[in-house]
Amino acid sequence: MAITLSEAAAERVKSFLANRGKGLGLRLGVTTTGCSGLAYVLEFVDEMNEDDEMFEDKGIKIIVDAKSKVYLEGTHLEFKKEGLNEGFEFTNPNVKGECGCGESFTV
């Protein structure tokens, strides 16, 4: 499985983990929601679940559950700052469409 992080995204996750003081890595997943059907989930992981797989990029452990794995193959995670706004941006080659507000997607 190939999930990659930009240098900016990796540094931001490292910073969050350091400020948090604990954590195994970053969970990347999908959940059923929104008008298009799927939305991304980003959260810190302290313990792995039995159906989790772990990947590593730029020193960051990325944990993905079995259900989400098929939807996330080839995803690239970027961290961007534009003016007062900042956040993670997903480039996912599996996405076929997005809702108008950009909160959910279809594959």
Side-chain angles (χ1 to χ4, degrees):
M1 165 165 258
I3 294 177
T4 57
L5 302 170
S6 69
E7 288 294 335
E11 289 303 315
R12 190 63 172 176
V13 171
K14 285 177 189 173
S15 172
F16 280 137
L17 286 170
N19 288 339
R20 194 168 177 260
K22 64 177 181 173
L24 181 62
L26 180 72
R27 176 175 303 285
L28 180 57
V30 297
T31 187
T32 305
T33 190
C35 41
S36 287
L38 296 170
Y40 295 107
V41 174
L42 276 178
E43 59 190 11
F44 296 107
V45 176
D46 294 325
E47 294 180 20
M48 288 184 58
N49 299 325
E50 77 178 48
D51 71 332
D52 286 342
E53 287 191 45
M54 185 185 310
F55 308 93
E56 193 166 332
D57 187 44
K58 296 179 182 61
I60 301 297
K61 291 178 176 66
I62 304 164
I63 293 90
V64 179
D65 64 273
K67 179 189 117 183
S68 299
K69 184 178 169 185
V70 67
Y71 301 111
L72 297 173
E73 178 67 40
T75 296
H76 179 74
L77 189 61
E78 177 68 69
F79 182 77
K80 293 192 173 187
K81 288 179 99 170
E82 293 178 15
L84 297 175
N85 298 317
E86 63 181 38
F88 290 99
E89 183 177 285
F90 298 84
T91 303
N92 184 340
N94 305 300
V95 171
K96 302 293 185 233
E98 296 178 331
C99 68
C101 65
E103 293 296 317
S104 62
F105 63 95
T106 58
V107 291

